[in-house]
Amino acid sequence: MNDTQEIQAVTFGLGAEVFAVPVTLVREILDYRETFRIPGGPDYLLGLTDMRGEGVTTIDLRLRLGLSPVAPTPATRILVIDIPLEDRVLVLGLVVDRVIEVTSFRADQIGGAPDVGVRWSSDYIGGVVKRDEGFTVLVEMARIFSSQEVAQLSSCAAAAA
């Protein structure tokens, strides 16, 4: 990517933090709704969300990133995204506090992933953009989950289907 190329991204908030994923990964943005619970999964696995008759595995992104849980509000959304894996595409619903906007970032605006210390693991950070209102963290969705976690999410969803 050269310095003048842009990526379009959907920005979303978790507490005071702002994150972004490429718009090309976003399948749909849904209003929050309760999920069909799946027993035996990790604590961040909420269950399945109905998306026009398809069960989408849904997680609480706050819990997955080590943030405190919060009760859903009218602004809470489920961001349905496609996560490209080596052998397939995993469709996953991410419960986020709010969706902010679709925006563009120039390549020269994106800084490298910093060592963020103990609050978060920086493995999933694809870059950081400094904006007037603060920082936006670009998320590498495929790095948020280990291959073992992907297998566990897939098997929980298959067992519930």
Side-chain angles (χ1 to χ4, degrees):
M1 177 182 291
N2 65 44
D3 287 351
T4 60
Q5 284 185 308
E6 291 189 343
I7 65 162
Q8 281 199 309
V10 174
T11 60
F12 59 91
L14 295 174
E17 290 21 292
V18 178
F19 297 87
V21 293
V23 75
T24 55
L25 299 181
V26 178
R27 193 177 274 209
E28 197 156 335
I29 299 170
L30 305 173
D31 289 337
Y32 178 79
R33 60 191 78 154
E34 289 296 320
T35 61
F36 172 80
R37 297 280 179 201
I38 301 175
D43 63 344
Y44 58 82
L45 175 62
L46 297 176
L48 295 176
T49 298
D50 178 52
M51 186 177 77
R52 289 184 305 287
E54 177 186 353
V56 175
T57 303
T58 303
I59 67 158
D60 185 328
L61 191 56
R62 293 181 67 89
L63 292 179
R64 179 62 191 98
L65 298 182
L67 300 171
S68 300
V70 296
T73 70
T76 302
R77 298 289 180 264
I78 300 173
L79 200 59
V80 180
I81 61 168
D82 293 329
I83 301 176
L85 303 173
E86 287 180 18
D87 57 340
R88 68 189 187 286
V89 173
L90 176 65
V91 179
L92 197 61
L94 308 175
V95 174
V96 299
D97 294 350
R98 66 198 174 285
V99 170
I100 301 167
E101 66 180 341
V102 175
T103 189
S104 296
F105 302 118
R106 289 187 328 271
D108 63 353
Q109 291 178 289
I110 302 171
D115 178 5
V116 292
V118 296
R119 184 156 182 201
W120 302 307
S121 163
S122 60
D123 296 346
Y124 67 86
I125 299 176
V128 176
V129 177
K130 173 69 174 106
R131 302 172 78 192
D132 291 340
E133 56 275 1
F135 291 98
T136 298
V137 176
L138 300 175
V139 179
E140 292 280 344
M141 291 309 304
R143 292 189 192 162
I144 283 188
F145 304 100
S146 68
S147 54
Q148 180 181 0
E149 289 171 314
V150 168
Q152 184 179 19
L153 288 172
S154 296
S155 67
C156 286

